[in-house]
């Protein structure tokens, strides 16, 4: 009975589906990598490696591992304004996989001290060695994001945390720059403001 489902029957639609999914997770292209930071990374620059194409998420040669303890903190500046809709976190199927993720918006240069404040959204993570679990964000809180901070405070019991891939799903738009023109014509004085005092007679009559 199973003969009707040939091996190539859904090759086309599956390819299109993969392409659409890859495009949905393309916010990594909008990261300002020159200013991207990962605090407590064991190998310098390794934090940037986990932000890559969805199709390349299975590349186990690219990962970030924490150094002194299990915490990791990413400061992610974007090249415009982002509406963040979902996050995907892929690690090992063991104790090094992060167990919690906390998201903060528009707080550049966050330090571990800054993580004591309340996050915009907190997630309990499941182990996801294949990169299949999407965590949807509260879009109203992440509709105008120029900088995203991701804090991973703990894992599933190992001394260090290891992440292979972080996917960011959403929309991007160019940053608006209205502030430059708002007060450009306020600098010069209005002559009408001073006209009254100039034409007021100053003559004094002595009787």
């Amino acid at each position: 009975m199973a003969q009707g489902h040939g091996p190539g029957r859904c090759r086309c639609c599956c390819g299109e589906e993969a392409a659409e999914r890859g495009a949905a997770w393309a916010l990594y292209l909008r990261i300002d990598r020159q200013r991207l930071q990962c605090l407590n990374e064991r190998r310098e620059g390794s934090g940037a490696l986990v932000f890559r194409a969805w199709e390349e998420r299975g590349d186990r040669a690219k990962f970030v591992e924490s150094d002194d303890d299990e915490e990791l903190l990413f400061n992610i500046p974007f090249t415009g304004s982002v509406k963040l809709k979902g996050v995907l976190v892929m690690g090992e199927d063991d104790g090094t996989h992060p167990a919690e993720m906390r998201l903060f918006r528009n707080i550049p240069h966050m330090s571990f001290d800054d993580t004591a404040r309340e996050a915009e959204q907190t997630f309990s993570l499941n182990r996801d060695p294949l990169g299949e679990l999407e965590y949807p964000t509260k879009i109203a809180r992440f509709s105008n994001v120029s900088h995203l901070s991701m804090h991973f405070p703990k894992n599933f019991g190992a001394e260090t945390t290891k992440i292979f891939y972080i996917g960011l799903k959403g929309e991007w738009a160019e940053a608006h720059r209205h502030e430059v023109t708002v007060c450009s014509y306020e600098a010069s004085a209005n002559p009408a403001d001073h006209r009254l005092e100039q034409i007021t007679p100053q003559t004094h009559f002595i009787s």
Side-chain angles (χ1 to χ4, degrees), residues 7-76:
R9 183 172 175 181
C10 65
R11 187 176 301 156
C12 177
C13 63
C14 289
E16 290 175 0
E17 184 179 335
E20 288 178 9
R21 188 157 191 197
W25 294 95
L27 277 184
Y28 74 96
L29 295 170
R30 305 301 186 178
I31 294 174
D32 184 349
R33 290 183 177 270
Q34 298 297 319
R35 298 190 296 128
L36 173 67
Q37 290 181 317
C38 180
L39 305 188
N40 197 36
E41 59 183 5
R42 175 169 293 183
R43 187 161 44 92
E44 186 176 354
S46 58
L49 301 178
V50 303
F51 299 97
R52 56 184 186 269
W54 181 80
E55 296 85 353
E56 299 173 12
R57 68 194 185 285
D59 185 351
R60 295 270 162 176
K62 296 178 180 178
F63 63 89
V64 61
E65 186 173 5
S66 62
D67 190 11
D68 294 334
D69 54 27
E70 72 275 22
E71 283 190 88
L72 283 169
L73 176 62
F74 293 87
N75 283 314
I76 309 161

Side-chain angles (χ1 to χ4, degrees), residues 67-175:
D67 190 11
D68 294 334
D69 54 27
E70 72 275 22
E71 283 190 88
L72 283 169
L73 176 62
F74 293 87
N75 283 314
I76 309 161
F78 294 104
T79 58
S81 178
V82 164
K83 179 186 289 186
L84 184 67
K85 297 181 177 180
V87 180
L88 191 154
V89 180
M90 177 178 164
E92 293 276 23
D93 192 12
D94 60 18
T96 65
H97 194 293
E100 184 177 304
M101 173 176 65
R102 306 171 70 233
L103 301 183
F104 302 82
R105 62 182 286 272
N106 299 341
I107 310 176
H109 310 297
M110 275 192 72
S111 67
F112 283 110
D113 290 338
D114 297 323
T115 61
R117 69 176 70 193
E118 185 178 356
E120 296 287 343
Q121 193 169 357
T122 300
F123 299 87
S124 293
L125 303 181
N126 294 306
R127 293 178 187 173
D128 186 14
L130 299 178
E132 297 175 329
L133 302 178
E134 176 182 343
Y135 299 92
T137 62
K138 297 175 180 176
I139 297 177
R141 296 187 182 183
F142 296 95
S143 61
N144 187 21
V145 180
S146 59
H147 186 283
L148 177 69
S149 295
M150 308 179 73
H151 179 218
F152 297 93
K154 59 185 180 180
N155 57 28
F156 285 94
E159 292 185 2
T160 61
T161 295
K162 187 182 288 189
I163 298 175
F164 287 95
Y165 171 79
I166 295 177
L168 301 175
K169 180 180 182 179
E171 301 171 8
W172 175 89
E174 287 191 41

